[in-house]
Amino acid sequence: MIPELGHYALVLALALGIVQALVPLVGSLRGDAALMRLAGSTALMQFVFVALSFVALTACYVTSDFSVANVFENSHSMMPLIYKFTSVWGNHEGSMLLWVLILAAFGAAVAAFGGNLPATLKANVLAVQSWIACSFYLFILLTSNPFLRLAPAPFEGKDLNPILQDIGLAVHPPLLYLGYVGFSISFSFAIAALIEGRIDAAWARWVRPWTLAAWMFLTVGIAMGSYWAYYELGWGGYWFWDPVENASLMPWIAGTALLHSAVVMEKRNALKIWTVLLAILAFSLSLIGTFLVRSGVLTSVHTFASDPSRGVFILMILIFFIGGGLALFAWRAPMLKQGGLFAPVSREGALVFNNLFLTTACLTVFVGTLYPLALEAITGEKISVGAPFFNLTFGPLFIPLLFAMPFGPLLAWKRGDVLGVAQRLMAAFAIGLVAIAVTFVAMGVTSVLAPFGIGLAFYVMAGSLVDLVEHTGVFRLPLATVRARTFGLPRSVWGTALAHFGMAVTLLGIVTASTWGEERIVALKQGQSTSLSGYDMSFDGMTQRAGPNFRETVAKFTARSGGVAVGLMEPSKRSFGARQSTTSEAALLTRGFSQLYMSLGDVNEDGSVAVRLYFKPLVLLIWLGSLVMALGGLLSLSDRRLRVGAPKPAKKASKPSSTLQPAE
Amino acid sequence: MTLWLAFALMTAAAIFAVLWPLGRRTANAGGSDIAVYRDQLDEIARDRATGLIGEAEAEAAKVEVSRRLIAAADVAEADKTVAGASPLWRRRATALAGLVLLPIGATAIYLTLGSPQLPGQPLAERRAAAVQPQDRSIQELIGRVEAHLEQNPNDARGYEVIAPVYLRLGRFDDAVNARRKLLALSGETASRQADLGEALSAASNGVITVEAKTAFERALVLDANDLKAKFFVGVAAEQDGDKPKAAAIWTGMLKDAPADAPWAPMVRESLARLGVVSTPPIAGTAGPSAADVAAANTMSEQDRADMIRGMVARLADKLKEDGSDLEGWQRLLRAYMVMGDRDKATAAAGDARKALASDPEKLRQIGELIKSMGLEG
């Protein structure tokens, strides 16, 4: 009964979704308050039904109801309980259900907490949101239905893919989806604004929290995914420029630009067209990410062509929303009223610079990800675009961006003074230069570029602190004033500084781990040892262990630094009976922010074991930096104050109006 | 019945969500941008008071926000004259659509996709239900023996009693453990080794693993005439693809056997399977091992159907990975036809054609079979 209840709940959600997609739209066109009000109640009820459906599927997994085909394909009665939960979204059908659950949750949240929205805007936003929801309900019901049944029911399932039997799966996809789907709200707001033909600072104020929340989740989601790949795949890498990863990076970049652009719009009523375009792009890229991962087009263009029902369906969704969104944008955007004016050198100008570089960087990732697919589809030739391409395109775009990062928050609104800001950043420049010099002295001239990367990271960190110093007046104002200013400082200012600081921390981790990391592959017999980066690893022997649904071969190592034992490392290989497959579990030993990484290779006939050893200096900073970034977002999100950008008044003597430009 | 009642309640809730806002008279106005700008003005005053912005900046910001406020107020004034009330007919039409189309649409979609006739089958419940009255005493017995073994972990007799029961109930890993214990406790004999091998192969879905094979070979060293070990060594040879060897072992067994030996039919069946010429019986469609067939004999009708389905699914998976196996495709098609699953057979016929497209001879053969089954078009 439970699986059928879930199935019917999903169908009802679709039915309600169709009502919600049409009626409020008519209401807003005709100014009919009752029809517009309908959007709220249907959005809430839609969420109730999708949640019911998700709970039903979860119940099927937890109770190992193998009469549900999806459970049979992806579960096993012997799996630990936590993986019975996570395998709900560890497969295509279930993950799409999670996708719509989050979509419906965001819709319901707008309905519940959007009391301060004008009625027409709320109705239109929820209607657009429901268009998206309906297309995905249909996609699930028609091509990826998790509630299809098996009769007679098998007695045992096929088990979850062992690589996915990890705590990482419990965290990574829901966070990523919260991010992806969160941008749907920004998209709906943008489309609603285009339909109404009106967009202003108030609009940006309403969109801000949603965008910020989505961005935060996506940041943490990508970081977790990267860490998961790092310790589970056993290659010691944290980012592979793999299409699946790029698919999540692109919405993040667009979302970051959107975030900054929306701030300008809320505070200064400028950059309207940028904001609307970025809102459309961020969600479009989320959809493309979903398409790339879900349609099978990545495994091979040919598998996609041989079973196209899913892929073609998602492709149609893509064309409808991206094409429709952009077409509406092209048609309506020119009618939007011009916003505030500003000089090229100003906070607004800096954010336009930021938008330009971010969108260009996003474009390079887009090209690098999709070009090989297009080429394979057209000529059949298979090429892979990897790190070298992205290092040469994406890297150089980010360097000026990072360099300009501390300038932005210090520039005044409307008209700024670069020299003045540069003066205030002197301390940051100095810290950066010292960092470069120290690195050269300590590490030698092994890598010419890396010390500059370190210098850049320290400069950005110092720069974000300078911003705080300027705001609080430390070092130049009396203590009492400083204290008052520190406590009176909006949390959004702290948020900005923290997020920028986190970006620099991540950069520091990337530069050190990729430049000074060491790697060694050796075959060791019991009792032998090897050394890497000042650590000695001695091989103490192999043991067998049994897990709940796997057996593992564990190699035991003792790591010593300067003769003192600092830890045990136990890399292992697990073999899963039900799927007849093995996974390799890496062993990690954390030393400060650095890590020793060990993964097990084959066991040779003479009893020796092949091991891969890595030393990754400061590698943890990569993910800590992302967490700091997200924390910055959280601080800013928690700041319920309104944002007003006070413009710097023109000096009476000069003729500023001649240098001011329209926002778009 | 409960299911339909639940469906009805859910549908009622959905309809309620549509009707409720239509029925309410009071219109809640919702927020407006005017409120936002008012709040912004307050914010500027506060920022000025705490000294976050200077006097001149505050003035400039106030001017800007006030301009926006005036513009927004103008628009709101214009909207007020346009915004009409909600005419009754429009609300009635919406209500009617919600009341009629929503349940009809939802039911129509659900009936095409759903399977309301199938009950949910949580594993725990099924296991409990599978225990027949006489089996319940078996469960009790197992519980008692297990408790006994927990107290006296070195009692060989306990393991001897419980091992075959485990095997029969499909608790293969427990069976393997019991057999191992028994070997360790009461020493090695041919039949104990052979039993261990049997449990091991049952635990890996009937595949004679290296471990299992070692056990059988050890049994034959101890007693060259151990029937079970002999038979399974034959199965191992068959699984290795060495059909002549398997045939030789089994024929040898039959030659030495009394005509009414209880195991003879099984060996003959295995031999027939090697012969390939005759159309294989249903259970043979996916090439089950003898252990599977043996297990099938002791199963209920329901479980047997499950097992066959499982084997067919395995075969289909294998063909998905390596589609060049003509015989495999033939077996799969026949199996689907026997199971009465025409749709799957048609789909598989298409897949087979695609997979074998590179080999004209194989393509011809599979084409003939498809034609003979009437799966064309």
Side-chain angles (χ1 to χ4, degrees), chain A residues 385-440:
Chain A
V385 172
F389 169 82
F390 294 103
N391 288 346
L392 281 176
T393 53
F394 190 77
L397 280 169
F398 251 69
I399 290 169
L401 195 61
L402 288 169
F403 185 76
M405 207 177 199
F407 279 84
L410 289 172
L411 280 168
W413 291 106
K414 202 162 182 178
R415 44 183 81 73
D417 173 12
V418 178
L419 283 180
V421 172
Q423 240 164 24
R424 285 188 280 171
L425 280 175
M426 270 312 177
F429 290 133
I431 288 173
L433 287 175
V434 169
I436 296 176
V438 168
T439 320
F440 265 122

Side-chain angles (χ1 to χ4, degrees), chain A residues 19 86 149 210 222 262 280 287 368 404 472 479 485 490 535 559 577 639 656 662:
Chain A
V19 173
T86 60
R149 308 292 298 277
W210 303 105
I222 294 175
I280 295 177
L287 280 180
T472 53
L479 198 63
R485 277 190 161 210
Y535 291 92
D639 187 358

Side-chain angles (χ1 to χ4, degrees), chain A residues 634-658:
Chain A
L634 189 66
L635 264 182
S636 187
L637 185 66
S638 72
D639 187 358
R640 302 295 300 157
R641 300 153 54 117
L642 288 117
R643 313 284 157 85
V644 189
K648 192 175 171 63
K651 289 195 196 85
K652 295 221 168 71
S654 66
K655 302 175 289 177
S657 53
S658 62

Side-chain angles (χ1 to χ4, degrees), chain B residues 68-79:
Chain B
R68 282 177 223 152
L69 180 58
I70 294 166
D74 285 349
V75 172
E77 197 60 36
D79 277 357

Side-chain angles (χ1 to χ4, degrees), chain B residues 341-357:
Chain B
D341 203 338
R342 238 192 128 73
D343 290 348
K344 275 197 180 151
T346 317
D351 290 344
R353 283 227 163 100
K354 236 175 270 166
L356 298 171

Side-chain angles (χ1 to χ4, degrees), chain A residues 1 4 8 30-32 37-38 41 49 63 65 115-118 149 152-154 158 198 268 641-643, chain B residues 11 17-18 21 24 26 31 39-40 47 64 75 84 86 90 110 115 119-121 123 126 302 306 309 317:
Chain A
M1 180 166 132
E4 295 306 313
Y8 188 62
R30 299 264 174 263
D32 187 326
R37 249 193 338 252
L38 197 80
S41 64
F49 283 129
T63 57
D65 187 340
N116 55 355
L117 295 178
R149 308 292 298 277
K158 289 189 182 171
R198 212 173 69 186
R268 304 287 310 144
R641 300 153 54 117
L642 288 117
R643 313 284 157 85
Chain B
T11 317
V18 175
R24 278 189 312 162
T26 48
D39 290 347
Q40 283 195 336
D47 281 355
E64 283 189 356
V75 172
S86 179
R90 207 188 276 147
Y110 173 72
S115 328
Q121 302 191 21
L123 198 61
R126 289 168 70 194
Q302 166 78 27
D306 283 346
R309 251 165 226 284
D317 281 350

